Amino acid sequence: MNIVVCLKQVPETAEAEVKLASDKKGIEMEGLPLQINEADNYALEQALLLTEEHDGDVTVVTLGPDSSDEVLRMSMAKGAAEAVRLAGPAFDRGDPVAIARALAAAVKDLEYDLVLTGCMSSDDGNTAVGMALAECLDLPHATYVTQMEMGDGEVTVGRELEGGLIEKLKMKMPCVLGIQTGINEPRYASIMGIAKASKREIAMKSASDLGLDEGSVGEEGSRTKLEELAYPPVGEGAEILEGTPAESSGKLAEVLREKGFV
Amino acid sequence: MDEILVLAEHREGELRDITFEMLSKARSLGKDAGKSVTALLLGAGVGDYAEALKSHADEVLVLDHGNLKAFNAAVYQQVLSEVLKSREPSLVMIGHTAFGVDLAPGLAVTLELPFASDCIDLAYEGDDLKATRQIYEGKVNATVSFADAPTVLVTFRPSACPVEDAEASAGKVTELDVAVPEEPAMRQFLEYVEAAVGEVDITKADVVVSIGRGLREEENLPMIEELAEALGGVVACSRPCVDAGWLPKDRQVGSSGKTVKPKLYLAIGISGQFQHLSGMKAADTIVAVNKDPKAPIFSEADYGIVGDLMKVVPALKEKIAELRA
Ligand SMILES: Cc1cc2nc3c(=O)[nH]c(=O)nc-3n(C[C@H](O)[C@H](O)[C@H](O)COP(=O)(O)OP(=O)(O)OC[C@H]3O[C@@H](n4cnc5c(N)ncnc54)[C@H](O)[C@@H]3O)c2cc1C
């Protein structure tokens, strides 16, 4: 069984200070650690587990800047056989549909029984590329997948809905699944694996390599446009209890006492 | 008249809140931009819901058909395509929910609709729709515009818009006549499986001490358990803590976990993504401890401490013990 995993590199922003770039169309990337998108890491692990059990290869595909080679190499260090990167200015600033169109052009020529993606990326948060990709490839799809059970030419998936309710579906393969976090325990790459992967080839594909009209991808191929970024308006917000840990927690303990919790 | 079409979402016999949130947003948008509001109700045995919807819309379109019993994106997409092609609403709103994220992207691709997902706000500037989305984990807002097209599609974030009172004048109900395909073999609904019930019911507790990824390691859990005990509360958590296996799923607060409304919710090392907030923002008093002063949780909290939880939690435990003594 061969599996294609579409994944991406994202900046870590949950803890870091995020600063807008001066043109207000992006953020300052300098100083932000780069890492594999969380849900994509689970998708990769799922592909590795399945191909280990059912024989086959994992191909990882990304659309992104030069720095994203790092997540491709890390994927190969963990066991992916091949890596493809869609590279070039034609792909820049694509909306989710344009990104899906580009990925589809690269994926369609690969051999696969399954295409896995993370269900959401932490940077743009579109929660859309995987399912749009399925439509571009004309394949059945399901997202928020937290359970998978392989059958003969089919897979039973559990989709996690609101409140943790699981929706069980039977899907024919090939299909595209958006993988949700928690489905497995992602492995770490071994030092040996990392050393070996550093010498591996990454197949670079430009729009013309993929037979794509440049106007059909990237900003030009997008039907939505990012106008401007801003910091979210600060509402009333919390009353901040200042001081050293001892002082601030002393104030909090007082508040809790006044409210009758202590 | 130009219309805004809202896809009603329901599950297991109930209309979901997002439906009314979207209708409320659509009504205020429609008032400003001179557009009518239409609720589209698809499903099996759902005719009764039209009653609840019609006081929130100018028109309710109902398609009640056995093949729509299970939510199957493949079937719903085909039906929606037909409806959208014939009505050409200027805007279509679908919830940014497990249902919506499975459905909307494919629809955008087949119908070539300009599409923005997870919108938290929408506004017309003249004829042009502008959407606000939140990116980089709630730290940046993005304004998005759409290409010129008869119809644009958005998914709208749950809890992003308050529900307005029903209108006195009720809209009309129209039965739709659209062919509904059978569930295709390529994707078939099997069943719903309820989340497992654990030994502790966090939804019943008055005090919830909740931890997030900021805790770093499972080894740091005991101090949280002790703090919870000192406050007579239970320990809960954000999703990554469950993913990492620190705590069982029934302790997870948020959209894919539990919704809690305690008297006191302590969020420790939790950034405050909307999926988490939706599960706890109705708490009476919210206290956040986070080392990042820009963490979105502080906009939802009543009290905040900016600092390292590894120092604040032990100190707080001590102060509580002192007050008790
Ligand atoms: C479909 C879907 C459903 C989801 N459902 C849920 C859900 O039900 N519940 C849920 O919680 N999430 C859910 N999520 C995930 C959600 O998007 C976030 O990823 C998650 O809430 C983040 O958890 P966190 O705040 O613990 O981690 P992070 O976002 O990583 O935040 C960690 C925080 O800890 C702080 N911190 C770090 N170290 C320290 C320290 N020493 N002292 C003090 N503070 C520190 C950081 O500043 C940061 O703010 C869902 C996502 C999707 C896509």
Side-chain angles (χ1 to χ4, degrees):
Chain A
M1 183 169 61
N2 296 314
I3 305 181
V4 171
V5 182
C6 296
L7 41 74
K8 79 185 286 195
Q9 186 185 50
V10 293
E12 195 295 309
T13 52
E15 305 195 6
E17 182 174 1
V18 178
K19 287 206 191 95
L20 298 184
S22 51
D23 67 357
K24 301 226 173 90
K25 299 266 185 191
I27 59 167
E28 301 275 5
M29 294 295 280
E30 213 175 289
L32 294 178
L34 298 173
Q35 59 192 20
I36 185 170
N37 177 52
E38 189 182 13
D40 300 355
N41 199 28
Y42 285 92
L44 172 64
E45 180 64 30
Q46 194 63 17
L48 293 170
L49 291 172
L50 288 170
T51 51
E52 282 160 8
E53 198 185 326
H54 301 275
D55 274 347
D57 285 333
V58 174
T59 303
V60 286
V61 179
T62 198
L63 184 163
D66 296 352
S67 63
S68 6
D69 284 348
E70 204 181 306
V71 295
L72 297 177
R73 290 237 151 72
M74 190 57 77
S75 304
M76 290 195 280
K78 291 183 179 185
E82 309 280 343
V84 179
R85 178 156 72 88
L86 282 66
F91 296 119
D92 287 354
R93 288 181 294 280
D95 74 358
V97 171
I99 294 168
R101 195 177 293 127
L103 289 172
V107 171
K108 74 176 191 332
D109 296 330
L110 302 171
E111 270 192 38
Y112 59 84
D113 304 285
L114 274 175
V115 179
L116 304 184
T117 72
C119 64
M120 179 186 88
S121 67
S122 63
D123 51 358
D124 296 331
N126 287 312
T127 332
V129 170
M131 299 304 95
L133 171 65
E135 191 66 32
C136 295
L137 293 168
D138 201 15
L139 292 177
H141 71 258
T143 192
Y144 289 176
V145 172
T146 56
Q147 301 173 349
M148 283 177 75
E149 215 178 289
M150 305 308 296
D152 189 14
E154 59 187 31
V155 50
T156 302
V157 305
R159 258 168 46 76
E160 197 183 63
L161 312 184
E162 285 75 17
L165 185 71
I166 301 291
E167 178 187 346
K168 290 240 174 185
L169 300 171
K170 189 178 273 185
M171 317 269 311
K172 287 258 188 287
M173 296 203 288
C175 56
V176 180
L177 302 178
I179 301 294
Q180 171 62 302
T181 60
I183 188 172
N184 52 41
E185 280 175 56
R187 70 193 67 187
Y188 290 94
S190 68
I191 307 274
M192 260 260 282
I194 294 173
K196 274 195 195 153
S198 67
K199 299 185 204 86
R200 300 275 299 282
E201 281 281 318
I202 290 170
M204 296 292 174
K205 302 281 185 192
S206 68
S208 60
D209 291 340
L210 296 171
L212 283 165
D213 173 9
E214 296 209 350
S216 71
V217 292
E219 190 168 20
E220 250 192 276
S222 297
R223 306 207 71 200
T224 61
K225 190 164 167 241
L226 177 70
E227 293 288 332
E228 193 176 56
L229 301 185
Y231 297 111
V234 274
E236 214 174 301
E239 176 186 332
I240 300 295
L241 308 169
E242 315 266 357
T244 63
E247 289 161 3
S248 59
S249 50
K251 291 177 190 164
L252 178 55
E254 260 321 309
V255 170
L256 296 181
R257 192 177 60 96
E258 276 164 29
K259 290 185 175 282
F261 295 110
V262 177
Chain B
M1 184 156 94
D2 224 0
E3 74 181 337
I4 300 173
L5 191 133
V6 172
L7 179 63
E9 182 167 336
H10 53 86
R11 191 205 291 161
E12 294 189 295
E14 261 179 60
L15 280 166
R16 299 184 64 81
D17 294 348
I18 180 68
T19 305
F20 296 100
E21 291 163 15
M22 289 192 291
L23 286 170
S24 298
K25 183 84 238 170
R27 269 160 66 200
S28 71
L29 268 179
K31 252 176 223 140
D32 297 344
K35 294 176 197 291
S36 68
V37 175
T38 304
L40 174 61
L41 175 59
L42 306 176
V46 295
D48 290 354
Y49 305 165
E51 206 49 43
L53 293 172
K54 73 183 189 190
S55 45
H56 292 266
D58 299 301
E59 187 172 6
V60 184
L61 303 176
V62 186
L63 183 55
D64 201 329
H65 193 290
N67 292 351
L68 292 168
K69 181 159 194 305
F71 162 70
N72 187 327
V75 177
Y76 275 67
Q77 182 177 319
Q78 227 169 308
V79 170
L80 258 168
S81 295
E82 289 311 312
V83 176
L84 299 190
K85 272 189 255 172
S86 74
R87 295 193 67 106
E88 282 203 345
S90 50
L91 169 63
V92 181
M93 296 175 73
I94 296 178
H96 193 75
T97 56
F99 171 99
V101 299
D102 206 42
L103 171 67
L107 193 64
V109 171
T110 36
L111 295 184
E112 296 180 34
L113 306 177
F115 165 52
S117 62
D118 191 19
C119 301
I120 60 168
D121 201 9
L122 297 166
Y124 277 100
E125 286 175 14
D127 282 340
D128 298 330
L129 183 68
K130 295 277 161 68
T132 307
R133 307 186 60 246
Q134 216 157 45
I135 58 177
Y136 294 113
E137 306 183 87
K139 289 194 169 165
V140 176
N141 280 4
T143 311
V144 174
S145 62
F146 300 82
D148 225 358
T151 299
V152 306
L153 173 65
V154 302
T155 59
F156 199 73
R157 178 183 288 188
S159 307
C161 173
V163 175
E164 276 167 37
D165 293 339
E167 215 118 283
S169 64
K172 65 173 180 194
V173 178
T174 312
E175 299 273 344
L176 275 183
D177 184 17
V178 175
V180 185
E182 285 193 26
E183 258 197 311
M186 63 180 191
R187 172 173 165 153
Q188 296 219 307
F189 175 82
L190 298 175
E191 59 175 337
Y192 285 129
V193 182
E194 294 289 339
V197 193
E199 59 209 75
V200 176
D201 186 354
I202 58 169
T203 65
K204 299 262 156 65
D206 281 342
V207 175
V208 175
V209 178
S210 200
I211 48 136
R213 189 168 6 220
L215 193 69
R216 296 272 178 247
E217 292 179 355
E218 195 176 357
E219 284 64 45
N220 297 329
L221 257 180
M223 70 175 182
I224 303 297
E225 282 158 357
E226 286 160 27
L227 177 62
E229 201 174 321
L231 288 166
V234 299
V235 176
C237 63
S238 67
R239 179 171 186 118
C241 307
V242 176
D243 291 342
W246 300 348
L247 284 167
K249 180 81 182 170
D250 53 64
R251 301 291 183 112
Q252 181 189 317
V253 172
S255 61
S256 56
K258 298 250 164 83
T259 300
V260 298
K261 290 185 185 116
K263 296 201 171 88
L264 173 65
Y265 189 87
L266 231 74
I268 303 173
I270 293 175
S271 62
Q273 300 309 305
F274 78 95
Q275 295 97 342
H276 187 81
L277 298 180
S278 72
M280 43 64 77
K281 63 182 180 191
D284 292 345
T285 302
I286 298 171
V287 178
V289 178
N290 199 300
K291 65 171 189 180
D292 174 10
K294 296 264 174 63
I297 190 77
F298 286 122
S299 343
E300 208 60 51
D302 301 293
Y303 299 94
I305 293 180
V306 178
D308 181 354
L309 69 90
M310 296 304 292
K311 299 204 176 88
V312 173
V313 171
L316 180 59
K317 246 175 34 192
E318 216 168 280
K319 296 289 173 193
I320 291 171
E322 278 171 25
L323 286 181
R324 283 253 153 84

